Amino acid sequence: MLDSRTIQVIKSTIPLLESAGPALTQHFYQRMFKHNPELKDVFNLAHQHSGGQPVALFNAVAAYAKNIDNLGALGSAVERIAHKHTGFLIQPEQYAIVGSHLLATLKELGGEAVTEEVLTAWADAYGFLANIFINREAQIYQESAQQDGGWSGVREFIISEKKAESLEIASFVLTPVDGKAVKDFVPGQYLSIKAQHPKLAFDEIRQYSLSDAPNGQSYRITVKRELNGQVSNLLHDVLQVGDTLSVMPPAGDFTLAVQAETPVVLISAGVGQTPMKSMLNQLLKLKHPNTVTWLHACEHGGVHGFKSAIKNKLGQHANLASHVWYREPTKADVLGQDYDFVGTMNLNSVADKIVANAHYYFCGPIGFMASIKQQLLAFGVPSEQMHYEVFGPHAEL
């Protein structure tokens, strides 16, 4: 445990951190990639360019400093980050590299306020937290390797099916090259894909939600084509059935966990429906006895993925209901057939589905999820019955 003086010194640096803001972590990443360019094969450089990763790291560092005397408050964040790290195959020795650049950044940007005592305190605090992550990630690695169909590190998978689900998204069924079983996962989790291709300057690792129920033989991911997405465009335009990908075991802490008597509401916008689809398929596969409600929002019918699949399931499962919002339907879209409401998702339109004892899982753009959370709170839904996933660097709603 950290001693009281270390805790006191760390908390005294909070004003320094807040005054520096994300510029602190931007400097950190620039410094680290300059001195350790090999890490460009590990980190998602798209998130560096967008600024999302530096902001997420700054928020994490600030939260650690503010809760240094109450680390239990960071338990969920630690679990989420540990799962993310295993998807990038982070190893203990890399924590030492990160720690050295973090301390150097504090010294370079903090001026006279960063004394030797401050550096020592942050070195101790960082080392303490790093050990928590190292131990938890070792457990995740071990659990993944020991499960039936599990493995450690990367495993080669072949693209056995490729299917366009809409104008923007495509599904890829991945089957192991060795022909052996694959470990089960919990719906809501994701696969980490390591892409290596002459079109890429570096190895690129991306994490894509699994979009089907576990079957022990293959995985399915569904990927949105991003405007400047190196890996998403590679998957959509270049890689075909028969090509191979290096894959890490399923991971993630956004997972379906409900009792049989619990109503479930799955809420999504755009490609956020991918983890919802995995949850839906699992609930129906297991014949969930209570109601399951599918609420989805998108721009128009051209980008409405899984439309036919959901309609087919509605005809097969009496406890399943679906409601869809199109923000700007086209002339080809038919009200009552392709969609139910125009505009952004307003839960007042389906107030009878927002019940007190249900659990709500939602995924989509940050603004969409923030709106859904506020709407659910207005209905009196307790926050502990809301579960959400942010694609990319985490952000609070």
Side-chain angles (χ1 to χ4, degrees):
M1 295 297 293
L2 297 171
D3 60 56
S4 58
R5 180 56 185 167
T6 298
I7 292 172
Q8 181 183 357
V9 172
I10 294 297
K11 293 184 80 70
S12 74
T13 64
I14 292 173
L16 172 65
L17 296 176
E18 292 179 334
S19 66
L24 179 80
T25 44
Q26 288 173 348
H27 180 90
F28 158 77
Y29 279 118
Q30 290 169 359
R31 190 183 201 285
M32 184 172 67
F33 289 139
K34 178 181 178 181
H35 292 275
N36 294 92
E38 72 277 7
L39 294 181
K40 291 181 178 181
D41 285 330
V42 177
F43 287 80
N44 185 333
L45 298 184
H47 291 157
Q48 301 296 324
H49 298 318
S50 70
Q53 190 60 54
V55 170
L57 178 59
F58 171 77
N59 290 337
V61 171
Y64 182 45
K66 292 175 181 177
N67 292 280
I68 194 73
D69 52 353
N70 180 30
L71 294 180
L74 302 177
S76 60
V78 168
E79 185 68 6
R80 180 178 63 251
I81 294 169
H83 275 271
K84 287 282 188 183
H85 283 179
T86 61
F88 289 95
L89 298 180
I90 299 299
Q91 300 299 313
E93 57 269 21
Q94 291 169 324
Y95 279 95
I97 296 172
V98 170
S100 67
H101 291 296
L102 178 62
L103 294 178
T105 296
L106 286 172
K107 187 173 183 179
E108 290 165 2
L109 296 189
E112 295 180 356
V114 180
T115 63
E116 286 302 317
E117 185 181 33
V118 167
L119 289 174
T120 299
W122 266 104
D124 292 343
Y126 173 81
F128 181 79
L129 183 62
N131 282 332
I132 292 175
F133 278 116
I134 289 169
N135 291 333
R136 178 61 187 127
E137 288 157 21
Q139 290 177 339
I140 296 172
Y141 286 133
Q142 185 177 36
E143 290 165 3
S144 292
Q146 291 179 345
Q147 288 180 26
D148 291 342
W151 71 96
S152 178
V154 298
R155 185 176 175 185
E156 295 304 303
F157 281 68
I158 189 170
I159 299 174
S160 54
E161 294 180 35
K162 180 178 180 178
K163 178 186 177 183
E165 305 288 0
S166 77
L167 295 176
E168 292 184 335
I169 64 175
S171 290
F172 301 81
V173 175
L174 307 178
T175 305
V177 171
D178 60 21
K180 297 179 180 178
V182 298
K183 71 183 290 290
D184 279 346
F185 61 91
V186 184
Q189 291 190 305
Y190 48 79
L191 275 188
S192 293
I193 307 296
K194 186 175 185 179
Q196 298 169 303
H197 194 272
K199 288 181 173 291
L200 302 175
F202 303 97
D203 293 352
E204 296 285 353
I205 296 175
R206 296 292 186 273
Q207 295 170 329
Y208 296 114
S209 295
L210 290 146
S211 60
D212 201 357
N215 61 32
Q217 299 176 329
S218 63
Y219 297 123
R220 186 180 74 182
I221 58 172
T222 302
V223 180
K224 178 184 178 183
R225 180 199 297 276
E226 300 292 347
L227 180 61
N228 296 308
Q230 294 186 80
V231 179
S232 68
N233 281 286
L234 184 73
L235 285 164
H236 276 258
D237 298 335
V238 179
L239 299 183
Q240 301 298 330
V241 170
D243 289 330
T244 58
L245 288 167
S246 298
V247 178
M248 279 71 88
D253 69 329
F254 174 62
T255 52
L256 179 68
V258 292
Q259 301 298 316
E261 66 274 11
T262 304
V264 180
V265 183
L266 306 173
I267 308 174
S268 60
V271 75
Q273 67 182 312
T274 53
M276 303 298 105
K277 189 64 165 53
S278 175
M279 293 181 184
L280 176 66
N281 288 358
Q282 180 75 339
L283 287 166
L284 299 181
K285 179 180 178 181
L286 298 178
K287 295 180 170 56
H288 187 70
N290 213 312
T291 58
V292 179
T293 303
W294 175 271
L295 305 179
H296 181 62
C298 58
E299 291 296 305
H300 51 74
V303 294
H304 184 180
F306 298 117
K307 180 167 61 176
S308 297
I310 298 299
K311 281 188 176 182
N312 290 338
K313 293 181 186 301
L314 287 170
Q316 300 168 4
H317 301 274
N319 65 328
L320 173 64
S322 169
H323 299 280
V324 175
W325 283 255
Y326 283 1
R327 194 174 72 86
E328 293 185 348
T330 67
K331 292 180 180 179
D333 298 325
V334 179
L335 180 64
Q337 179 176 318
D338 298 309
Y339 66 102
D340 304 290
F341 307 103
V342 178
T344 57
M345 188 179 290
N346 185 337
L347 297 182
N348 288 316
S349 302
V350 290
D352 60 316
K353 304 297 183 183
I354 311 303
V355 294
N357 62 330
H359 273 245
Y360 299 82
Y361 293 82
F362 47 102
C363 187
I366 294 288
F368 167 80
M369 292 194 294
S371 171
I372 294 301
K373 180 179 180 179
Q374 291 307 310
Q375 291 184 62
L376 291 174
L377 289 172
F379 273 99
V381 176
S383 58
E384 59 268 22
Q385 289 170 219
M386 303 181 203
H387 318 275
Y388 68 92
E389 172 86 313
V390 175
F391 290 158
H394 186 74
E396 297 298 334
L397 300 185

